[in-house]
Amino acid sequence: MNDLNKRLAALSPEQRALLEKQLKKQGLDTLVKKEESGTIAVTLPGAASSQPGFKGTGLQKKERDPNKGMDFSLYFFSGDGSTASRDKYQLLLDCAKHGDEHGYAAVWTPERHFQDFGGLYPNPAVLSAALAMVTKNIELRAGSVAIPLHHPIRVAEEWSVVDNLSGGRIAICAASGWHPNDFILSPKPNLEYYKNRRNEMIDALDTIQRLWQGETVTMTGIDGEEVSTRILPRPIQQHLEFWFASQGAPETLIKAGEMGGHILTGLVNQPLHELEQKIKLYRDARAKAGHDPEKGKVAVMLHTFLGTDNNTVKEQARQPLTSYLRTFLRQQDNFKSDFDLATEADKDALVAFAYERYFEESTLLGTVDKCETLINNLIDIGVTEVACLVDFGLAPETVLEGLQHLNELQERYRIKLSVQGVQS
């Protein structure tokens, strides 16, 4: 019996019931075997073979299609804002310059407030302005802007400045916001506004697009009178490319399609076959709204660190990524109460199991050849870009070393895109 199964076997019936509930929520219940005694058993790497090979259900071995490629971008999300280091943004700057020099599609910076986890990134516009000064080609994206936290005029103005500084290289990913405490920053910090944040986001995004295109919009002034407003400076790009951030809610993908936007999502809460169906809904919505369905982009965020040996990478990433997963689970609205109430044994068992599954099926962790399998599966279901999350706790020099191997993976798919371009 491996160490994880020993821990699982030691859980009380109540703890096992809780764990099963959480596994089901995360789509992991099909990957475990429940014995007649009630014990939960998991087949882990090394249990029956000298070659580690977690036996999940999500990935199939697929060969690369020479006519299809994949874009790669660099994604930042979890930098520790509480660090006292004077060089806390050096990894972001170094990775952005690396991506710029090696043909990556974009670099994403998020909007995060009031927590150590991700607290390094409270303002993606400010960070993108800095990145504009040290890059020449790579697209600079907000990943994402929590639009209901801001006045839409301010969003349009700030990103127009960055568009000018970068020579027309920006895009934004719209999010409705998450943590209630963040909404002390919003134009209307009240419960009703928070509950209606998704609709507020959609309405504000429409206003931002109109301002971006040079229209004058009417706002209400302090005296209650209407004020006609337009933004300055004028942006370089005539159209503001935008994405919707989604954890997998079909209505979000459909709305993005209807509005002509793109999608940024992940694999934490949705297996590949579910994501495939949602991508079809998204492209159908684009088509019905008069947008070219094939021009819609779907990016999937994946934790990323590549090396020359799967076992070595797995152990290098284990501690920082299990810490990341524990923090992530604690912050999920639909998960928080159960996870916080769980014993440390519950938490250890769930996070250890999640890491094993995550490493094999839902990350770009390991060798180039291992990671190619996931890329091929993603291409097969309609994903067009991988947003490589690199700041999940590894030492900066280790992250930069891993990017050298990521270059090799990217090159395999950039070649295919080049061939496709020649053929067309």
Side-chain angles (χ1 to χ4, degrees):
M1 181 181 288
N2 56 60
D3 289 341
L4 177 54
N5 279 333
K6 288 179 180 178
R7 263 182 277 172
L8 293 171
L11 298 178
S12 69
E14 292 78 12
Q15 291 169 337
R16 286 198 298 272
L18 172 61
L19 180 56
E20 287 181 76
K21 178 181 177 182
Q22 305 305 345
L23 293 176
K24 186 174 183 180
K25 282 185 179 181
Q26 300 301 312
L28 306 179
D29 53 319
T30 60
L31 305 184
V32 300
K33 180 181 179 182
K34 188 172 182 180
E35 308 291 351
E36 291 183 3
S37 62
T39 300
I40 301 172
V42 181
T43 302
L44 294 178
S49 170
S50 60
Q51 297 297 321
F54 180 77
K55 302 301 182 183
T57 62
L59 295 184
Q60 299 178 30
K61 185 68 176 178
K62 295 180 182 291
E63 299 299 323
R64 270 181 291 153
D65 185 334
N67 296 313
K68 295 182 179 179
M70 178 71 78
D71 285 335
F72 288 75
S73 54
L74 299 175
Y75 190 89
F76 291 80
F77 184 73
S78 52
D80 185 358
S82 67
T83 176
S85 169
R86 296 176 62 90
D87 299 320
K88 55 177 64 74
Y89 291 103
Q90 195 60 51
L91 178 63
L92 172 63
L93 293 168
D94 289 343
C95 287
K97 286 188 264 188
H98 179 97
D100 194 50
E101 294 168 359
H102 291 87
Y104 286 75
V107 56
W108 309 75
T109 48
E111 178 178 354
R112 310 274 292 170
H113 298 286
F114 312 136
Q115 299 191 46
D116 294 351
F117 180 80
L120 204 59
Y121 312 113
N123 192 320
V126 172
L127 291 172
S128 293
L131 297 180
M133 298 296 93
V134 297
T135 59
K136 296 179 180 179
N137 302 301
I138 196 168
E139 190 170 74
L140 308 174
R141 296 181 190 156
S144 50
V145 177
I147 288 181
L149 301 185
H150 311 279
H151 196 290
I153 293 176
R154 195 63 177 153
V155 175
E157 281 185 336
E158 287 186 353
W159 284 97
S160 181
V161 171
V162 184
D163 199 48
N164 278 272
L165 289 172
S166 65
R169 290 188 284 127
I170 69 100
I172 67 170
C173 181
S176 61
W178 181 13
H179 293 291
N181 288 347
D182 291 355
F183 281 74
I184 63 173
L185 300 170
S186 71
K188 302 175 184 178
N190 58 63
L191 184 59
E192 182 179 357
Y193 183 84
Y194 175 76
K195 289 180 177 179
N196 197 42
R197 63 193 183 277
R198 182 175 179 275
N199 291 332
E200 295 286 350
M201 175 192 74
I202 293 169
D203 291 344
L205 187 57
D206 178 69
T207 300
I208 292 166
Q209 288 283 17
R210 290 167 54 203
L211 288 164
W212 193 272
Q213 293 166 13
E215 292 186 31
T216 297
V217 301
T218 301
M219 297 289 173
T220 303
I222 59 173
D223 56 2
E225 298 295 323
E226 292 186 346
V227 178
S228 296
T229 308
R230 63 188 178 93
I231 64 163
L232 294 170
R234 294 293 306 126
I236 300 295
Q237 298 180 93
Q238 292 185 350
H239 176 74
L240 175 61
E241 187 174 46
F242 69 96
W243 303 64
F244 270 23
S246 172
Q247 290 194 14
E251 57 269 23
T252 301
L253 279 75
I254 291 171
K255 177 56 70 173
E258 292 173 346
M259 295 181 66
H262 309 301
I263 290 294
L264 172 65
T265 188
L267 296 181
V268 173
N269 294 317
Q270 53 190 348
L272 287 172
H273 69 275
E274 285 187 10
L275 179 57
E276 180 178 21
Q277 295 304 312
K278 293 172 184 176
I279 292 173
K280 289 179 180 177
L281 290 175
Y282 162 68
R283 298 202 186 282
D284 287 346
R286 283 185 64 95
K288 290 177 181 177
H291 306 292
D292 186 340
E294 298 309 314
K295 288 187 177 180
K297 302 174 185 177
V298 178
V300 169
M301 185 279 291
L302 298 173
H303 287 84
T304 300
F305 174 59
L306 278 70
T308 58
D309 178 77
N310 286 327
N311 288 336
T312 301
V313 169
K314 187 174 186 178
E315 293 313 309
Q316 283 180 290
R318 183 182 297 278
Q319 190 280 324
L321 192 48
T322 52
S323 295
Y324 175 98
L325 289 170
R326 179 180 284 252
T327 302
F328 177 85
L329 292 173
R330 186 180 299 116
Q331 291 186 357
Q332 298 308 290
D333 286 347
N334 64 349
F335 196 83
K336 183 177 179 181
S337 59
D338 285 336
F339 193 76
D340 283 348
L341 292 173
T343 67
E344 288 305 310
D346 293 336
K347 295 174 183 178
D348 288 345
L350 179 60
V351 171
F353 177 77
Y355 180 71
E356 298 295 339
R357 177 260 187 178
Y358 210 54
F359 177 84
E360 292 297 336
E361 297 186 349
S362 303
T363 66
L364 294 183
L365 297 177
T367 65
V368 172
D369 288 340
K370 170 187 174 292
C371 294
E372 184 180 294
T373 299
L374 178 55
I375 298 297
N376 293 340
N377 275 265
L378 292 171
I379 289 173
D380 193 56
I381 66 170
V383 174
T384 61
E385 180 176 323
V386 174
C388 301
L389 194 160
V390 296
D391 68 329
F392 57 90
L394 293 167
E397 60 272 17
T398 304
V399 173
L400 293 170
E401 180 183 347
L403 291 184
Q404 301 299 327
H405 302 288
L406 183 60
N407 292 344
E408 182 183 343
L409 181 65
Q410 179 192 221
E411 193 64 29
R412 294 186 183 185
Y413 294 92
R414 183 158 53 204
I415 290 173
K416 301 309 172 185
L417 283 172
S418 299
V419 170
Q420 187 177 18
V422 170
Q423 290 175 340
S424 60

